Amino acid sequence: MLHLLRAAALALLAACLAPVAAAQAAYPQKRVTLVTHSSPGGGSDVFVRELARHLGPVLGVNFAVENVTGGSGAKAMAMVARGKPDGSVFYVTTPTYIQTTLLSKPDVGYTALEPVAIVFEDPEVVFTRAQAPFQSLAEVIEHARRNPGKARWGAANPTSLERIALERMARKMNVKVPVVPHEGGGDLMINVLNGTLDIGVGEVEELKGQLQAGKLRILGVLSDKRMPLLPQVPTAREQGVDVVVRKFRGLAAPKGVAPQAVQALEAGLRKVLATPDYRKSYTESNLVPLLLGHEEALRFTNEAAAEIGQTFRELGITK
């Protein structure tokens, strides 16, 4: 019993001191570059610009977002890996940077970076243009089955989690459909809107403008449960398609990143996630807070890499 009381007392003391420590931890840089592989308007681009808008005043930092497209994230990873580990540059992480490494084996992969935080889980949805004849995933699959060679599905880039999800969906439903890759979610959405593609996979945040304008329709959610803000949209599983995707959004730094920067960043993220304005913003974007600090982020990333590697082997993509 004594050790339980001592543990409780220490926990209470830590909770009382945490706000003071966070307040004293000044961020070591005044200007920070956030590098994303996403094209402007893509999911990662939208996420990081909104995060920077709210996090900047909390940390007293001027954030600059830089879009480094090409190589499915390889160019962006290489740029950040060459940066100074002083907290002045971060890479905006998604499962894509793991997939690019496992598939393309670039000179600089995800292991050359140091995960410092996982901020959100970002549910993926399957969408089509509003004028399309499809009202469900079953109708999309039936169209592909009855029209071999004519159906076209789209994903953000060649090694993206979205593309793998569509490849899995095609395999599970026993249909042959080309999955067309793009450099980012913005390019993908254009090709769904103009009818070049039957469906695409993306996040609600990057689709929000076109959804509000009535130009896109969401057909299914690739999560294990429905989204709170879209309770009328069934999951893929509910529609007989056993595909679940877990997409995360976080930050990684050059190896050996300064502990002061890591600690101050984590404190700032915890604070900004609790602010009413940012909570309203990410809730409306259907982002699910999943704040993991430095050590947890590293462990999470390694587990995600093992899971993605297993999926690739099951699909016959890698040996």
Side-chain angles (χ1 to χ4, degrees), residues 8-30:
L10 289 173
L12 179 60
L13 178 61
C16 293
L17 292 178
V20 176
Q24 292 175 341
Y27 197 79
Q29 304 294 330
K30 292 300 180 184

Side-chain angles (χ1 to χ4, degrees), residues 102-103 105 309-319:
L102 297 180
L103 288 176
K105 302 187 186 305
Q310 178 63 28
T311 298
F312 284 169
R313 289 188 290 274
E314 290 176 356
L315 291 173
I317 297 173
T318 59
K319 294 182 180 180

Side-chain angles (χ1 to χ4, degrees), residues 77 97 101 108-115 255 302:
M77 283 189 282
Y97 88 130
T101 302
V108 177
Y110 81 92
T111 56
L113 302 175
E114 191 168 340
K255 285 281 191 178
N302 289 335

Side-chain angles (χ1 to χ4, degrees), residues 12-215:
L12 179 60
L13 178 61
C16 293
L17 292 178
V20 176
Q24 292 175 341
Y27 197 79
Q29 304 294 330
K30 292 300 180 184
R31 181 177 175 82
V32 175
T33 300
L34 302 174
V35 179
T36 174
H37 65 266
S38 175
S39 57
S44 290
D45 178 72
V46 173
F47 150 69
V48 74
R49 289 183 188 277
E50 186 68 2
L51 174 64
R53 187 170 73 87
H54 291 275
L55 185 60
V58 171
L59 290 181
V61 167
N62 180 20
F63 284 109
V65 177
E66 189 164 347
N67 301 85
V68 181
T69 59
S72 298
K75 289 184 179 180
M77 283 189 282
M79 175 181 172
V80 174
R82 292 192 299 266
K84 294 181 180 179
D86 57 2
S88 63
V89 61
F90 292 95
Y91 177 71
V92 182
T93 63
T94 70
T96 295
Y97 88 130
I98 298 174
Q99 291 169 273
T100 294
T101 302
L102 297 180
L103 288 176
S104 305
K105 302 187 186 305
D107 292 337
V108 177
Y110 81 92
T111 56
L113 302 175
E114 191 168 340
V116 295
I118 303 295
V119 187
F120 291 112
E121 182 179 355
D122 194 354
E124 298 277 349
V125 297
V126 180
F127 64 95
T128 188
R129 65 192 184 283
Q131 296 83 2
F134 316 115
Q135 301 294 326
S136 67
L137 290 181
E139 292 181 8
V140 170
I141 292 165
E142 186 61 22
H143 171 76
R145 184 172 288 121
R146 291 188 176 186
N147 299 276
K150 294 184 179 180
R152 294 286 186 278
W153 298 353
N157 63 61
T159 62
S160 66
L161 196 67
E162 295 88 348
R163 182 177 185 184
I164 299 305
L166 290 180
E167 297 283 5
R168 289 174 60 200
M169 189 165 80
R171 174 169 293 205
K172 284 179 176 290
M173 303 312 294
N174 195 29
V175 294
K176 293 184 178 181
V177 184
V179 179
V180 183
H182 298 71
E183 275 299 334
D187 299 331
L188 165 64
M189 183 167 56
I190 289 172
N191 282 331
V192 173
L193 287 168
N194 65 24
T196 302
L197 302 172
D198 296 328
I199 59 170
V201 175
E203 303 88 35
V204 173
E205 176 61 21
E206 63 183 344
L207 307 176
K208 188 163 58 176
Q210 299 298 334
L211 287 170
Q212 291 173 345
K215 295 183 178 181

Side-chain angles (χ1 to χ4, degrees), residues 173-298:
M173 303 312 294
N174 195 29
V175 294
K176 293 184 178 181
V177 184
V179 179
V180 183
H182 298 71
E183 275 299 334
D187 299 331
L188 165 64
M189 183 167 56
I190 289 172
N191 282 331
V192 173
L193 287 168
N194 65 24
T196 302
L197 302 172
D198 296 328
I199 59 170
V201 175
E203 303 88 35
V204 173
E205 176 61 21
E206 63 183 344
L207 307 176
K208 188 163 58 176
Q210 299 298 334
L211 287 170
Q212 291 173 345
K215 295 183 178 181
L216 290 178
R217 178 189 308 126
I218 296 179
L219 299 176
V221 180
L222 296 178
S223 298
D224 55 3
K225 57 185 177 181
R226 297 191 184 196
M227 301 170 73
L229 293 185
L230 295 171
Q232 77 281 9
V233 180
T235 66
R237 275 183 172 172
E238 289 178 296
Q239 300 181 64
V241 182
D242 188 17
V243 175
V244 173
V245 173
R246 191 182 188 196
K247 185 167 187 174
F248 62 85
R249 297 199 177 280
L251 297 170
K255 285 281 191 178
V257 61
Q260 182 186 356
V262 171
Q263 293 164 8
L265 177 65
E266 183 177 342
L269 286 170
R270 292 192 184 281
K271 184 174 180 179
V272 77
L273 284 171
T275 60
D277 284 350
Y278 191 41
R279 185 188 296 119
K280 181 176 184 294
S281 174
Y282 65 70
T283 299
E284 290 177 348
S285 300
N286 286 281
L287 293 173
V288 180
L290 183 71
L291 184 56
L292 304 179
H294 189 199
E295 294 301 321
E296 292 176 302
L298 178 59

